[in-house]
Amino acid sequence: MQTPTASTTSFPPHTLEVVLALALVVLVAGAGAMLVSGLTRRLLLKIEGDRFHTQPFAATTVRLVRRLFFGLLVLILVFPALDFAGLDMSVGLRDEEVARWAARTGIRVVLLLLLTFAVNRFAAAVVRRAEHEIGEGDGLGSYERRKRANTLGATFRRFISALTWTTALLVILRELDVDITPVLTGAGILGLAVGFGAQTLVKDIISGIFLIAEDQVRVGDVAVVNNISGAVEEINLRTIVLRDEEGVVYTIPNGEIRTLANRSKDFAYYVINLSIAFEDDTDAVTDAIRAAATDLMQDPAFAPSILAPVEILGVDDFKASQVTLKFRIKTLPLKQWEVGRELRRRVKRVFDARGIKLPTPKMDVNVTNVKSL
């Protein structure tokens, strides 16, 4: 038997055997990868149901599992196949050692990564399905449950992801013969340091937990936090993220929240303060407002968003040349502005049809002739 040197590569005299061996490896690896990805697809389809076809992460998961298993099987099978075909490659590492490492440590590491990825994805899928089931329906209660479920679901997904990948990293380090005792010791010391030196961070996290647990605000709500108004885009354990009507994003630490007003929980009112002239009949103005509100409630585009007829609160204030009439309409959360603007438009149209004029600023000037004595 010819002994190859470390700096040369001995090519087999039978090239056909090598090509057939490599083709067989690719064929077997492809079949195995397709089998595993098919099982993954069935499991995801069972968890997601019909939503599997509309979830982009589901197809990405199947493709990733197929590619990883294909690469792993090729790495395990290629060296025995080449050796069987008569190809002897010596490049510093013996092919038997590489194959043995791939079949033992390598396969465990790859399987652990796949398992971690699968657990993370499947947990996210289960959480999303729970969100979907909790939020089913078209009523106000379903809308509130949906927002609550989305907020809790996002928090659970982040927590599960951090937990699974941290655990997987520690186990992989053990598989690679890395002593993780200093890592765990350092984590303990770091935790102690955080407890003493990062009190603000701990305060933010604890405040975030209570913010989510008490259902004070949800993702999708419109809230006023510390006099900053905007739509809630994210609720994290440490921060809450708002975006105002101009698109400006505000990131507020949970521990810094002093006042929080939720403008879209359960229901909302759109309040209008209407100024009318002293000469106008308040009863006639009230009838016109009710007529405009009734017309609005009969519109199919706005009727589902209105929860109750317009409520006339009455005369609210007297000013120098006008009277303030206050009324409001009850709507679904986040629909108050849309309904309120349309109600203003229709009130204006009814006023024009009935000849009701809104007051304009005026000044009375009295001129007196004074005769010189």
Side-chain angles (χ1 to χ4, degrees):
M1 178 178 179
Q2 183 181 358
T3 303
T5 62
S7 59
T8 61
T9 301
S10 299
F11 293 93
H14 306 289
T15 306
L16 180 60
E17 287 82 352
V18 175
V19 173
L20 291 176
L22 292 177
L24 182 61
V25 168
V26 172
L27 182 63
V28 173
M34 291 297 295
L35 176 62
V36 175
S37 64
L39 294 176
T40 305
R41 180 184 178 87
R42 290 184 181 180
L43 183 58
L44 283 173
L45 186 60
K46 185 175 181 180
I47 294 176
E48 290 289 331
D50 295 336
R51 294 186 300 117
F52 172 83
H53 303 286
T54 60
Q55 294 283 351
F57 87 92
T60 303
T61 302
V62 174
R63 288 197 300 268
L64 181 61
V65 169
R66 181 169 62 247
R67 292 171 183 175
L68 284 177
F69 261 94
F70 178 79
L72 177 63
L73 292 175
V74 168
L75 183 62
I76 294 175
L77 298 175
V78 67
F79 290 103
L82 292 177
D83 184 67
F84 180 76
L87 180 63
D88 186 11
M89 300 178 61
S90 298
V91 291
L93 290 176
R94 301 179 61 184
D95 54 356
E96 294 87 354
E97 295 177 355
V98 175
R100 189 180 302 112
W101 183 91
R104 293 182 181 179
T105 305
I107 192 173
R108 286 199 296 266
V109 170
V110 173
L111 287 177
L112 182 60
L113 289 174
L114 286 174
L115 179 62
T116 305
F117 181 81
V119 168
N120 193 29
R121 289 295 190 179
F122 292 154
V126 171
V127 172
R128 287 191 179 91
R129 182 170 182 176
E131 294 176 13
H132 178 72
E133 292 180 354
I134 291 174
E136 284 184 342
D138 298 326
L140 177 60
S142 300
Y143 178 76
E144 292 296 321
R145 290 196 305 270
R146 190 179 306 115
K147 291 197 298 184
R148 172 70 167 164
N150 291 340
T151 302
L152 291 177
T155 303
F156 278 128
R157 287 195 297 270
R158 294 190 188 99
F159 174 76
I160 293 173
S161 179
L163 179 63
T164 53
W165 284 111
T166 301
T167 304
L169 178 61
L170 294 177
V171 176
I172 289 174
L173 291 176
R174 287 292 302 271
E175 289 292 333
L176 298 177
D177 296 329
V178 176
D179 187 8
I180 64 173
T181 302
V183 177
L184 297 177
T185 304
I189 297 175
L190 179 61
L192 186 62
V194 168
F196 283 101
Q199 298 182 14
T200 303
L201 176 62
V202 176
K203 178 183 177 182
D204 293 339
I205 294 176
I206 293 176
S207 299
I209 292 174
F210 281 103
L211 184 70
I212 296 173
E214 294 176 359
D215 195 23
Q216 299 177 19
V217 67
R218 288 76 51 91
V219 173
D221 284 343
V222 174
V224 182
V225 180
N226 295 348
N227 296 323
I228 299 174
S229 178
V232 180
E233 288 198 341
E234 294 182 19
I235 300 179
N236 305 310
L237 289 179
R238 193 182 67 85
T239 60
I240 181 171
V241 180
L242 303 180
R243 184 184 295 272
D244 67 9
E245 60 182 3
E246 297 179 354
V248 180
V249 176
Y250 297 90
T251 302
I252 305 171
N254 293 326
E256 299 297 324
I257 297 177
R258 296 292 178 266
T259 59
L260 189 153
N262 192 337
R263 304 186 67 179
S264 56
K265 187 173 183 180
D266 298 334
F267 59 87
Y269 283 105
Y270 189 87
V271 181
I272 298 178
N273 293 306
L274 180 65
S275 297
I276 59 176
F278 270 101
E279 297 79 9
D280 291 333
D281 184 358
T282 55
D283 292 337
V285 173
T286 300
D287 291 339
I289 293 172
R290 286 200 174 96
T294 301
D295 181 61
L296 178 63
M297 293 184 65
Q298 294 174 352
D299 190 333
F302 296 94
S305 302
I306 302 174
L307 300 179
V310 67
E311 183 179 356
I312 307 296
L313 301 179
V315 177
D316 190 63
D317 193 14
F318 291 104
K319 295 183 180 179
S321 60
Q322 59 192 23
V323 176
T324 301
L325 188 67
K326 177 177 284 190
F327 58 98
R328 66 183 184 179
I329 188 167
K330 188 176 183 181
T331 69
L332 291 174
L334 302 178
K335 295 295 184 179
Q336 63 266 37
W337 298 286
E338 178 183 353
V339 172
R341 294 188 184 101
E342 180 64 18
L343 178 59
R344 285 180 182 271
R345 190 184 71 85
R346 300 195 182 211
V347 167
K348 171 65 168 55
R349 189 172 63 184
V350 173
F351 279 9
D352 293 341
R354 298 189 180 188
I356 300 175
K357 302 295 183 180
L358 296 179
T360 57
K362 62 182 180 179
M363 179 182 297
D364 294 332
V365 179
N366 296 321
V367 179
T368 303
N369 293 325
V370 179
K371 295 181 177 180
S372 300
L373 297 177

